[in-house]
Amino acid sequence: MSGFTLKARAPAPLRLDLRGITPVALATLSAAEVERLEIGHGNALVPLAEFFQVESRSDDTLLLAGDLSRGDRIGWQMDGGTLIVDGAAGDYVGAGLRAGEITVKGDAGALAACEMAGGTLRISGSVGDFAASTLPGSMDGMRGGTLIVGGNAGARFGDRMRRGSALVFGDVGDFLASRMVAGTIALAGRAGAHAGYGMRRGSVVFAGPAPGVSPTFVPAVAGAPVFWQLLARDLAPHGGLFATLASRGIDRQLGDVAAGGKGELILVR
């Protein structure tokens, strides 16, 4: 298995569709074969070499370098290997990720990690709306793996999320964890309005400022000390405010009862 560095020649005038450009897919190809791969540009297919300079690497990493803020579907349904984006990424980064590791050293657009099922996606900057949620028209959001956002996140983060862990070190927009089915979301910054709207199950940890809680959530009567210690220890390796959770107390709000939900908003004291 061999890796490649793909250097963007210049910002694309139209959106690029980079689905299929994954470490595993390129592992057995020569540099010349990679250059001839077709990628989407607007509504046309063009050779990859038209927008990228291709260089072989001594390791098996796939590195995408340059401004790819118009590069969509990076790591789309990726099923192994290591992919690094040295800059910004467009929409759908890590969507449907099954295995492997994707690192984005910049911001990402909308729908990052939507329907992600495994592996790890790290984004050092901020993400747009509907991260860790569903693809348009689908019913299930993020289904597994770990998503880590170093900056802020837009609205509807974790919409219909079903499984996995998603951490945000900055703030998130409105409707955090809306219609969430299961899984864990941990937030270090502030949340917008309507957190947990229509939530069915799952846990949302507020390690920073407490959000405004909807009247359709009710205080938990029973404590959950063992569960909290296990969850806190699982989040601690990520550092920041998450490192000290085990030593802090919590208040739990259960709901959304308007949707018959049994999820929990965990407010860390």
Side-chain angles (χ1 to χ4, degrees), residues 19-255:
R19 74 181 78 190
I21 308 300
T22 65
V24 174
L26 272 56
T28 59
L29 303 181
S30 66
E33 289 173 322
V34 173
E35 290 176 342
R36 291 195 294 270
L37 290 174
E38 291 186 327
I39 59 174
H41 178 233
N43 60 1
L45 293 176
V46 299
L48 183 143
E50 186 169 325
F51 289 99
F52 292 93
Q53 178 182 341
V54 179
E55 298 176 359
S56 297
R57 296 175 58 89
S58 57
D59 58 21
D60 56 6
T61 298
L62 174 58
L63 173 64
L64 305 181
D67 181 5
L68 293 175
S69 56
R70 292 182 178 177
D72 298 334
R73 294 181 173 83
I74 295 173
W76 173 268
Q77 297 180 346
M78 193 174 106
D79 54 5
T82 301
L83 193 160
I84 299 173
V85 182
D86 191 6
D91 299 336
Y92 298 100
V93 62
L97 174 64
R98 298 166 183 160
E101 184 170 330
I102 300 175
T103 300
V104 179
K105 299 179 180 179
D107 297 333
L111 292 156
C114 61
E115 300 194 11
M116 174 179 171
T120 301
L121 171 57
R122 291 185 174 86
I123 299 172
S124 62
S126 298
V127 297
D129 296 340
F130 286 98
S133 68
T134 65
L135 289 167
S138 185
M139 292 295 291
D140 296 329
M142 181 176 171
R143 301 163 187 179
T146 302
L147 167 64
I148 302 169
V149 179
N152 301 321
R156 293 282 187 180
F157 186 91
D159 181 54
R160 291 190 184 276
M161 180 175 171
R162 179 168 289 275
R163 197 173 293 114
S165 299
L167 293 85
V168 180
F169 283 80
D171 301 333
V172 298
D174 297 341
F175 293 99
L176 167 66
S178 55
R179 305 181 293 180
M180 184 178 181
V181 179
T184 301
I185 294 175
L187 173 65
R190 298 180 182 277
H194 311 300
Y197 171 82
M199 186 177 178
R200 304 298 299 272
R201 290 184 182 275
S203 302
V204 183
V205 177
F206 296 90
V213 177
S214 166
T216 55
F217 280 75
V218 297
V221 176
V226 175
F227 164 76
W228 172 240
Q229 287 301 311
L230 292 173
L231 179 58
R233 291 175 186 176
D234 186 55
L235 296 173
H238 298 289
L241 285 181
F242 306 121
T244 58
L245 291 178
S247 63
R248 300 168 63 186
I250 60 172
D251 295 312
R252 294 190 303 142
Q253 298 282 333
L254 307 182

Side-chain angles (χ1 to χ4, degrees), residues 1-17:
M1 189 170 180
S2 59
F4 293 94
T5 296
L6 308 184
K7 293 182 179 178
R9 298 184 186 278
L14 301 175
R15 308 294 297 191
L16 292 176
D17 188 339

